[in-house]
Every structure is written in structure tokens, then in C-alpha cells.
Amino acid sequence: MSSLILSEMLNGLVQVITNDGKVFTGRLRGIDQTTNLILENCHERMFSADEGVEEIRHGLYVIRGENVVLVGEIDEAKEEQTDLASVRAEPIMALVH
Amino acid sequence: MFFYSVFKTLVGKTVVVELKNDLAIQGTLVSVDQYLNIKLDHVSAVDPARYPHVATLKNSFIRGSVVRYVHLPASAIDTALLQDATRNEPGNR
């Protein structure tokens, strides 16, 4: 477990971007060597060019590693200063291999 | 494992990782593993106006399979040595 570079993020609040361009947030509770992820209290953030960010509650999610693009720890101080309802952006594009 | 070794020598350097979804992220290289998964600190999108999605991230783990390019600082690479090394037979490293 300690050899995985993702393990430093365990139990932290993270944001995950997937192959299809979706953005998930949640607490990282499990990982493995293929980047399978367990996200507790998982929410999806839907970005749109003409509306603020919409958040959907999913609960406990397992994301299969092959669909993971990026996992990042959320800076909670910055997060508090951000008004998601005022953020306008096109969704992230799907992955093209 | 050759490029794994190359990336290990670049730890601490600032790099730009361009992904196969066109997102480009700049940050300090923290670690890399056998799959060429990359971990960056102090991350920011190269085009922050287009990608506020990643504005609140402290660091990023990027899966090796989604990386299109890694832009390296030219000063951190000895290109002659690299070219030499990549011409060697696998056994000679």
C-alpha cells in the first residue's frame, strides 16, 4: 500500500475527473494499484457554460481505475472562498485515446 | 523502465502535463511510478479561465494512461545523453 503514490491522499477530500469528463468529489477511502477508487459521500459536479455548477449527491462510489484521469486533493480554504453557483465553464471534454 | 528513471531525475522540477482530454496542468513533479502515473504539487491549469474545475486543487495524481505529453524544462535534460541512452540495447542500461 505504501508504495502507491496515491496512498498519501487516503482519507482526504479529493476531486476525481473521469474519462467521460465528469467531476466527482468525496472522501478517498480506498485505492489499489490499478487506480480503482472508493469515494465516500461522493458528489458529482456538473459544469455548464450558462448555469452555475450543479451538485448531485451519489453516496458511496467505486470508480474503476481505467476510467480515472486525475485525482486531486481539494484545498478546503480555497473551496470555501469559491461560490460554485457563480462558476461558468464548459464541461471537461471526454478522453480521446 | 527507462523513462521511469528519466522522470525520477526530474522530481522537484516544474512540468506541464497535457492530457488526452486537452486539459493541460502545470505543477511541481513530486513522484512518478512504474505506470508513469504522475503526482504534481502546486497545480494550476495552463488555461485557468477555461478550466476552473481544477482551481481549488492542492495537488494532482494523474493516471499515466491519460497523458499525451509532458513538457519538460529544457535545462533539466541532457538531450545528447538521452538520445544516446535511448539508442542502447535494452540490456546495456
Side-chain angles (χ1 to χ4, degrees):
Chain A
M1 209 60 165
S2 58
S3 64
L4 303 180
I5 62 178
L6 244 184
S7 61
E8 292 159 38
M9 294 189 190
L10 268 175
N11 299 313
L13 195 61
V14 299
Q15 171 174 302
V16 179
I17 299 175
T18 55
N19 284 5
D20 54 6
K22 287 179 177 172
V23 177
F24 299 96
T25 61
R27 201 158 289 280
L28 187 64
R29 290 303 191 190
I31 55 168
D32 72 4
Q33 66 279 11
T34 65
T35 334
N36 291 324
L37 306 174
I38 302 172
L39 279 188
E40 186 184 72
N41 193 23
C42 176
H43 287 69
E44 180 179 348
R45 286 186 180 168
M46 299 173 76
F47 289 79
S48 143
D50 34 44
E51 276 178 76
V53 178
E54 191 183 338
E55 237 184 356
I56 299 173
R57 192 179 165 278
H58 287 310
L60 187 69
Y61 249 40
V62 175
I63 301 176
R64 189 171 157 84
E66 60 188 346
N67 300 302
V68 173
V69 169
L70 180 151
V71 187
E73 268 181 295
I74 295 174
D75 185 330
E76 296 187 47
K78 264 192 203 168
E79 178 89 354
E80 270 174 37
Q81 292 164 14
T82 310
D83 178 21
L84 283 175
S86 68
V87 174
R88 302 277 188 281
E90 291 285 344
I92 294 175
M93 284 207 305
L95 210 72
V96 183
H97 280 290
Chain B
M1 295 301 270
F2 176 66
F3 279 92
Y4 169 56
S5 311
V6 172
F7 279 115
K8 276 204 294 191
T9 69
L10 294 169
V11 166
K13 301 283 194 297
T14 299
V15 297
V16 175
V17 182
E18 185 180 325
L19 309 181
K20 292 178 188 172
N21 58 11
D22 284 358
L23 172 59
I25 294 185
Q26 186 178 65
T28 310
L29 188 64
V30 176
S31 50
V32 60
D33 67 12
Q34 56 175 328
Y35 307 106
L36 303 189
N37 295 329
I38 290 172
K39 203 166 161 208
L40 302 178
D41 258 357
H42 315 295
V43 292
S44 59
V46 171
D47 182 356
R50 168 67 183 89
Y51 294 107
H53 318 70
V54 295
T56 59
L57 299 186
K58 287 192 278 198
N59 53 28
S60 282
F61 166 92
I62 297 165
R63 199 168 195 266
S65 62
V66 306
V67 173
R68 184 183 289 141
Y69 302 118
V70 183
H71 305 243
L72 309 171
S75 60
I77 293 278
D78 182 339
T79 45
L81 189 69
L82 185 64
Q83 187 166 31
D84 220 33
T86 50
R87 279 163 195 274
N88 277 345
E89 294 298 315
N92 298 345
R93 281 168 203 158

